[in-house]
Amino acid sequence: MTKKEPKTKRISDILDASIQEFVEKGYENTTMESIAARAGLTKGGLYYHFNSKDDILVKANETFMEPIFLFMGEAMADPDPARGLAGYIRNYLSYWTGHPRELSFVFLTMIKTMASEQFRHLYRGYTTQMTDFFNTIYLTGITSKRFRSFNTRSASLALMAALDGIIGYLIIDAELVLEQTIEDFTETFITTYKER
């Protein structure tokens, strides 16, 4: 890697190398040296950008959430809450099934998070953020008469859990088909609540 490369490119290369190392070797067996070697940097070059592999773990998780936040923004901007939510479901499931290596990394991070209080901040508030997002869309749909009245909080929690629960299975279980799963989620979490 040359010094002429932009900082964003070096960071991207480091994150890519670290994800490969974490997925292949596990978090505990990955070292800053192995990340640096894979990224084509010296160890000092790596430490110029990150203080530790913990810092890299945090930055990688933030990077993976960026598209999800974009999908959320698109869903909220849609004047039809049902259509916005359907678009979010499609985008979310399509994104993760199209990025299995990154999903493996997220699952690895979750395991690390469950085992260490030090990393719980990575996911603390995630449930609230996601259920609030779904709840807002559902309430907007009720107000605009697109959805009938129902318990939006429980539906929001169920949708969040179902989406996060299915993504790994969509990759490992050949019986599950993405398009059918999207249709099933749309039926269960949107059509069921539509005003008739």
Side-chain angles (χ1 to χ4, degrees), residues 10-182:
R10 284 194 298 273
I11 297 292
S12 176
D13 289 345
I14 291 167
L15 292 176
D16 189 56
S18 66
I19 292 160
Q20 291 178 46
E21 288 289 303
F22 290 144
V23 169
E24 289 174 15
K25 299 177 180 175
Y27 183 83
E28 299 303 330
N29 294 324
T30 296
T31 64
M32 290 293 276
E33 292 85 355
S34 67
I35 293 170
R38 191 175 282 236
L41 290 170
T42 64
K43 189 174 169 185
L46 178 60
Y47 276 105
Y48 175 78
H49 298 287
F50 293 98
N51 293 325
S52 66
K53 66 182 183 178
D54 292 354
D55 288 347
I56 296 171
L57 187 80
V58 170
K59 180 63 177 173
N61 272 279
E62 289 172 357
T63 301
F64 293 151
M65 286 307 292
E66 288 172 4
I68 307 306
F69 293 138
L70 287 174
F71 302 152
M72 291 167 73
E74 290 170 5
M76 295 293 286
D78 195 311
D80 180 342
R83 186 176 58 216
L85 184 55
Y88 176 83
I89 290 169
R90 173 171 293 284
N91 289 335
Y92 187 85
L93 295 177
S94 297
Y95 173 76
W96 286 118
T97 55
H99 295 85
R101 185 177 59 107
E102 290 83 351
L103 183 61
S104 296
F105 175 79
V106 169
F107 286 157
L108 189 104
T109 304
M110 289 183 80
I111 292 167
K112 180 74 176 160
T113 300
M114 286 186 270
S116 171
E117 178 63 36
Q118 172 188 359
F119 292 102
R120 294 204 178 133
H121 72 279
L122 291 173
Y123 291 97
R124 196 167 279 134
Y126 173 79
T127 304
T128 301
Q129 185 177 21
M130 296 310 294
T131 54
D132 285 351
F133 160 65
F134 295 133
N135 195 54
T136 299
I137 289 180
Y138 280 141
L139 289 173
T140 302
I142 291 170
T143 302
S144 65
K145 306 284 191 230
R146 293 287 292 141
F147 294 127
R148 62 176 171 76
S149 185
F150 63 99
N151 185 335
T152 59
R153 291 303 299 176
S154 59
S156 298
L157 183 60
L159 177 53
M160 189 250 356
L163 283 170
D164 284 354
I166 199 68
I167 53 179
Y169 292 109
L170 277 167
I171 292 170
I172 60 176
D173 187 347
E175 297 292 316
L176 286 173
V177 177
L178 177 61
E179 283 304 316
Q180 184 59 56
T181 303
I182 291 169

